[in-house]
Amino acid sequence: MGSASRKTFLPLDPMSFTNESRAVIDFIADYYKNIEEYPVLSRVEPGYLSATLPESAPYCPESLEDILKDVHDCIVPGLTHWQSPNFFGYFHANASTAGFLGEMLCSGFNVVGFSWISSPAATELESLVMDWMGKLLKLPSSFLFSGTGGGVLHGSTCEAAVCTLAAARDKALKELGGWENITKLVVYASDQTHFTFQKAAKLVGIPPSNFRLIETSFSTGFSMSPEKVRFAIEDDIKSGLVPLFLCATIGTTPSGAVDPIAELGKVAREYKLWLHIDAAYAGSACICPELRHYLDGIELANSISMNPHKWFLTNMDCCCLWIKEPKILVDSLSTDPEILRNNASKFKGVVDYKDWQVALSRRFRALKLWIVIRRHGLANLIYHIRSDISMAKRFEAFVAMDERFEIVVPRKFALVCFRLKPKQEAEGTELNCKLLDAINSGGRAFMTHAVVGGIYVIRCSIGTTLTEEHHVDALWNLIQENAQILLSESIN
Ligand SMILES: *Cc1c(COP(=O)(O)O)cnc(C)c1O
């Protein structure tokens, strides 16, 4: 035998792997240590990066040192620092050490669990952790594998929406007897529902004119009125249309409003609509016994989704979707190509997650959520939610005590919608827009806005993992300082 020549190019060399990975971990640790020094909202101008980095890819390999230097010099300035304790925008994307460790393992194994046999642990851990999470939320057993349902991890609520809508659509079309009936199907949501459901409805072929936005108002705290849903459904039935799907939200994106699940569930049952609960943001909070009541009536829903990557210390990306009758989802999304056929799939109860999602390939996300739950335990996860809510209450009290300001929508979770009171209502938007711009451009904190009931509000969303009370206090001082400047300008 001739001596086999060893490869000299080793893209995955266990020796250098350790050193290079450590260098990156040290880099990230430094980033977190210094995170408060960066302006929260990035200050770069569009196109900034092409002015600094080469236009073409290198021919020869470059050192990690050089690359990390570029990350430091060119990438970090173009980041909006979502993990900064002074980030109060959108809904936060909680990160944690446990979430990061889970991501490392997921990426380290780099397995692709599309069918059970392609990585049995990936599938079975996902089913297990979906039941764990479901039990933390006290979901009825009809949503759990240990009962009659099941769950899957997606990357986003948008994917979960597309898949549940496709399942509901196919079930209805089968009953109606043909694809031509798709033009009759109607989807109901409120004007506060996340726009992702409109996108999903379009993607599954629901005519945009069959997407009903039920109007909400101050009088109901922006929650969806079951009566209005009923009227809309009756109207559509009279016009020969077929009500298909109702999306209710726990914790709407603009203001954190909650739709009445139990009452909407009754309407959905009566007219045989698929009821989906979007709990992307506030679902995490329902692990707290005092907040679980927002899920009352969940037994009337067909599916529910929530994002651990928002408020459950789970690094991007992770969306839980539970479904009562997984068979409907699988019937809608399954494919059976020859190259993936295997004996294991024929076993009763074997899950092939490729049939529960849009893509074929999938990440081992379950590791991450499993480690997050194990490393914190329910006790600390509840503590985490409660401490964010208590900081939000503190901020809300600051706003309420200053008569120049007002709370616009009553707070339910850790989102406070407030504004500077205008002298004339017509000036409200401009005044608060200016206030928000002044705060955000200063770099010391970042918030975003919404328009609810025609009113421009500033959203202060509390819940970045590193945020502590003194950050909230500093934010309030900053808001007051900027308001003072604005108000004195408007007098002159
Ligand atoms: C953030 C959010 C979504 C969208 O979630 P993605 O995972 O980014 O698709 C949907 N619904 C609500 C209520 C949200 O807050």
Side-chain angles (χ1 to χ4, degrees):
M1 263 175 53
S3 65
S5 68
R6 300 290 314 265
K7 263 167 104 175
T8 51
F9 169 56
L10 295 170
L12 190 59
D13 173 15
M15 300 308 287
S16 59
F17 176 82
T18 310
N19 289 336
E20 299 209 350
S21 301
R22 279 202 186 123
V24 173
I25 289 175
D26 289 343
F27 182 92
I28 298 169
D30 279 342
Y31 170 71
Y32 274 99
K33 276 180 211 150
N34 301 322
I35 197 162
E36 288 192 55
E37 287 166 21
Y38 303 111
V40 186
L41 177 66
S42 176
R43 288 178 167 160
V44 299
E45 302 278 335
Y48 92 101
L49 197 59
S50 58
T52 40
L53 292 181
E55 271 170 40
S56 315
Y59 182 72
C60 292
E62 299 188 68
S63 73
L64 179 63
E65 208 180 0
D66 285 349
I67 295 168
L68 286 181
K69 186 177 182 306
D70 283 346
V71 174
H72 180 272
D73 297 348
C74 310
I75 303 299
V76 173
L79 296 178
T80 290
H81 300 280
W82 281 68
Q83 300 313 319
S84 164
N86 299 311
F87 182 99
F88 300 96
Y90 312 109
F91 281 134
H92 34 269
N94 276 181
S96 69
T97 305
F100 178 68
L101 301 180
E103 272 291 298
M104 272 205 288
L105 281 172
C106 167
S107 178
F109 292 139
N110 207 41
V111 297
V112 187
F114 42 64
S115 42
W116 181 88
I117 192 66
S118 75
S119 241
T123 296
E124 296 201 8
L125 189 66
E126 185 160 330
S127 299
L128 179 89
V129 86
M130 287 305 296
D131 269 18
W132 274 23
M133 192 68 209
K135 287 176 190 169
L136 292 182
L137 293 170
K138 301 207 163 38
L139 295 185
S141 65
S142 52
F143 285 102
L144 308 180
F145 284 106
S146 56
T148 48
V152 58
L153 290 175
H154 284 175
S156 70
T157 298
C158 186
E159 292 164 63
V162 168
C163 294
T164 44
L165 266 162
R169 173 202 64 193
D170 291 353
K171 178 174 177 271
L173 290 179
K174 214 191 230 169
E175 287 162 10
L176 291 169
W179 273 89
E180 63 281 9
N181 293 303
I182 195 165
T183 56
K184 293 186 189 156
L185 302 178
V186 188
V187 174
Y188 304 82
S190 92
D191 55 11
Q192 305 296 300
T193 304
H194 200 277
F195 48 83
T196 209
F197 282 84
Q198 237 160 315
K199 190 199 266 188
K202 215 165 91 180
L203 281 170
V204 305
I206 307 292
S209 57
N210 289 7
F211 197 93
R212 303 278 172 268
L213 287 179
I214 308 295
E215 224 177 89
T216 62
S217 68
F218 279 101
S219 64
T220 55
F222 296 98
S223 79
M224 183 159 34
S225 144
E227 277 316 299
K228 284 191 183 167
V229 175
R230 183 187 296 276
F231 286 143
I233 291 174
E234 289 281 354
D235 253 10
D236 285 326
I237 293 174
K238 275 188 209 129
S239 332
L241 297 172
V242 180
L244 173 74
F245 190 97
L246 169 62
C247 175
T249 307
I250 299 179
T252 62
T253 316
S255 71
V258 174
D259 293 332
I261 307 298
E263 290 170 70
L264 290 169
K266 279 181 209 146
V267 177
R269 278 281 168 99
E270 189 180 332
Y271 295 95
K272 297 198 168 57
L273 271 78
W274 182 293
L275 175 63
H276 180 80
I277 310 298
D278 173 14
Y281 161 62
S284 301
C286 296
I287 61 165
C288 300
E290 70 277 18
L291 298 170
R292 170 59 178 74
H293 64 91
Y294 289 121
L295 281 174
D296 286 355
I298 185 68
E299 65 281 359
L300 298 170
N302 299 78
S303 50
I304 167 170
S305 56
M306 51 87 65
N307 286 357
H309 72 224
K310 276 190 172 152
W311 203 7
F312 206 69
L313 298 174
T314 308
N315 297 38
M316 284 283 291
D317 54 1
C318 191
C319 168
C320 296
L321 167 68
W322 291 271
I323 187 155
K324 241 188 204 162
E325 294 170 276
K327 185 174 181 304
I328 300 175
L329 182 68
V330 171
D331 283 350
S332 176
L333 303 181
S334 74
T335 48
D336 184 26
E338 181 56 42
I339 54 161
L340 298 184
R341 287 204 185 133
N342 66 89
N343 287 332
S345 294
K346 295 177 197 147
F347 265 75
K348 194 175 174 305
V350 159
V351 172
D352 287 333
Y353 272 126
K354 72 177 173 53
D355 299 334
W356 295 56
Q357 63 174 25
V358 173
L360 169 67
S361 300
R362 62 201 318 277
R363 312 176 64 233
F364 193 172
R365 292 191 187 94
L367 266 175
K368 182 170 54 180
L369 186 53
W370 185 59
I371 293 174
V372 163
I373 296 173
R374 291 186 63 180
R375 284 291 290 141
H376 299 105
L378 177 59
N380 276 331
L381 290 165
I382 289 178
Y383 176 85
H384 156 69
I385 300 283
R386 284 185 183 155
S387 86
D388 286 347
I389 291 178
S390 99
M391 285 191 279
K393 280 183 182 159
R394 184 181 174 89
F395 181 82
E396 184 187 32
F398 289 150
V399 176
M401 279 185 304
D402 187 329
E403 60 194 16
R404 296 169 299 175
F405 289 88
E406 66 184 346
I407 301 285
V408 181
V409 188
R411 180 201 54 78
K412 287 204 162 63
F413 303 101
L415 170 68
V416 181
C417 294
F418 71 102
R419 68 168 183 167
L420 193 52
K421 279 189 240 169
K423 278 197 214 79
Q424 312 275 330
E425 193 47 53
E427 297 161 2
T429 300
E430 199 194 331
L431 181 68
N432 284 281
C433 225
K434 272 191 186 160
L435 176 61
L436 187 59
D437 280 350
I439 293 163
N440 289 346
S441 62
R444 282 159 60 198
F446 175 67
M447 292 180 291
T448 53
H449 77 281
V451 175
V452 280
I455 291 186
Y456 182 102
V457 298
I458 299 179
R459 292 168 76 265
C460 174
S461 167
I462 292 173
T464 298
T465 316
L466 296 171
T467 303
E468 295 180 46
E469 245 171 44
H470 70 90
H471 297 109
V472 174
D473 296 0
L475 171 68
W476 178 241
N477 285 336
L478 186 67
I479 293 168
Q480 285 185 312
E481 277 166 28
N482 280 282
Q484 190 56 49
I485 297 168
L486 262 182
L487 293 174
S488 59
E489 272 171 7
S490 72
I491 291 165
N492 298 334

